[in-house]
Amino acid sequence: MTDSSETIVPDTQHRGIIARLPQLPRDLAQLARFDRPIGWWLLFWPCAWGLWLTGTGVQWQLLLLFLLGSIAMRGAGCVYNDIIDAELDRKVARTAARPVASGRVSKTTAWLWLVALCLIGLAVLLQLRWEAQLIALASLALVAGYPFMKRITWWPQAWLGMVFTWGALVGWFAMRSDHLDALAALYAGAALWVIGFDTIYALQDREDDALVGIRSSALRLGGKVRSGVAVFYLGAISLWILAFWLLRPDPVALLALLPVSLHLLWQVATLDTEDASNPLDRFRSNRFAGGLMAAACFVVGNAGA
């Protein structure tokens, strides 16, 4: 069997579990990023924001469906991205060991795995009301275009912001179709949040990206990354304040945003762009930021219900 140190990418989590799998299941798990749950947490939380801000209670069944859909579709998106980016991934140290880039998984196998994951996503989609189904399907064009953005713009993170937070729209339309002004502010703020944390994530690859011609907001901002992230996070918080106010014009309700605001401030204040491990830790901490924002949405959406 191939040495697991050669097939497990540097930023993977749950190394013990992944290393015990036979080679093909291990490669498929890595291809869908099952070894890095932070991605599906970041995809899931906006779904919960949209759902809980509707003021219809916990909605456990929908919440679990969104979680399953987030895991499957995040996996499908990663498989698609790795198929498209195989040549580029071979040139970047952090991604060269990925299953498709390294040649351990053929593109045919990867496409079959992609279809299987999409079928899981389809099963979740069919459980939603038709308005939410249409909204979810509309995201496919954005998803398909994302891998190409790093080749044509310095701001692929902005495209990712639109893609990764689409669940906020789906969660909202799963229960209601009014107050679109509040929903728009929530979604726009969520997109800025993604630009901020993905700029932090992109710090890991600045040198390799510059060598192979991949563009990113981290490269574009240069020495002003921390200031840039601060601006994105401030914009996100401002738009979330607007969303809450449009839905419930009560100054006390805005206090619900204090925990997530303090967390994002901590990220900016402690970000060290020269420490290899610091940006990854700050990026991963956004699973907690997402949870804090979800709690705020639940409180504001369901207050007085």
Side-chain angles (χ1 to χ4, degrees):
M1 178 181 290
T2 304
D3 185 352
S4 65
S5 65
E6 296 179 0
T7 60
I8 297 180
V9 293
D11 58 346
T12 192
Q13 294 176 282
H14 307 310
R15 286 176 172 269
I17 296 173
I18 294 297
R20 290 186 180 94
L21 293 175
Q23 189 66 55
L24 181 58
R26 179 198 304 172
D27 289 335
L28 294 180
Q30 286 189 267
L31 193 55
R33 310 293 196 273
F34 290 159
D35 57 323
R36 283 179 282 171
I38 178 60
W40 52 258
W41 275 117
L42 296 176
L43 191 62
F44 164 73
W45 281 128
C47 301
W49 301 353
L51 178 63
W52 280 354
L53 197 58
T54 62
T56 54
V58 177
Q59 297 291 335
W60 284 113
Q61 182 177 351
L62 270 177
L63 206 62
L64 292 174
L65 283 172
F66 286 144
L67 181 58
L68 176 60
S70 296
I71 295 172
M73 295 314 296
R74 186 263 186 154
C78 289
V79 175
Y80 173 69
N81 190 78
D82 281 11
I83 292 171
I84 300 299
D85 281 351
E87 296 301 321
L88 287 176
D89 284 346
R90 292 188 184 104
K91 302 175 183 178
V92 177
R94 187 177 60 84
T95 59
R98 286 179 174 172
V100 176
S102 66
R104 298 194 312 275
V105 172
S106 69
K107 287 190 175 181
T108 299
T109 301
W111 279 113
L112 291 173
W113 182 219
L114 172 62
V115 170
L117 291 167
C118 286
L119 288 175
I120 297 174
L122 177 61
V124 171
L125 181 70
L126 294 176
Q127 306 306 309
L128 307 179
R129 69 175 191 156
W130 70 266
E131 294 93 336
Q133 291 179 4
L134 291 179
I135 293 295
L137 288 172
S139 69
L140 294 180
L142 292 174
V143 173
Y146 171 67
F148 304 99
M149 292 301 109
K150 68 188 72 174
R151 297 166 170 84
I152 62 177
T153 176
W154 288 103
W155 297 97
Q157 283 71 26
W159 194 272
L160 185 69
M162 293 188 290
V163 172
F164 240 64
T165 56
W166 200 262
L169 307 181
V170 178
W172 184 274
F173 277 94
M175 299 306 299
R176 61 193 291 182
S177 306
D178 59 342
H179 275 297
L180 298 185
D181 52 352
L183 177 60
L186 176 72
Y187 174 65
L192 289 179
W193 172 61
V194 172
I195 297 173
F197 73 58
D198 203 57
T199 296
I200 293 174
Y201 186 74
L203 287 170
Q204 302 174 93
D205 296 330
R206 282 188 299 180
E207 293 182 4
D208 285 336
D209 285 351
L211 287 173
V212 302
I214 296 175
R215 302 178 182 185
S216 75
S217 54
L219 284 174
R220 185 62 174 172
L221 289 168
K224 299 179 179 179
V225 168
R226 179 185 286 178
S227 298
V229 171
V231 169
F232 295 133
Y233 281 171
L234 179 61
I237 294 167
S238 299
L239 285 164
W240 291 339
I241 289 173
L242 176 61
F244 283 12
W245 186 263
L246 289 170
L247 191 66
R248 190 175 298 278
D250 179 355
V252 176
L254 302 182
L255 293 176
L257 286 169
L258 185 58
V260 67
S261 300
L262 290 175
H263 179 88
L264 296 181
L265 175 62
W266 168 80
Q267 285 189 40
V268 173
T270 60
L271 179 63
D272 184 350
T273 60
E274 303 304 320
D275 182 347
S277 62
N278 178 281
L280 183 59
D281 289 340
R282 298 304 173 273
F283 164 74
R284 284 177 175 164
S285 75
N286 279 282
R287 77 179 66 187
F288 302 111
L292 292 171
M293 181 59 182
C297 289
F298 183 84
V299 169
V300 172
N302 293 277

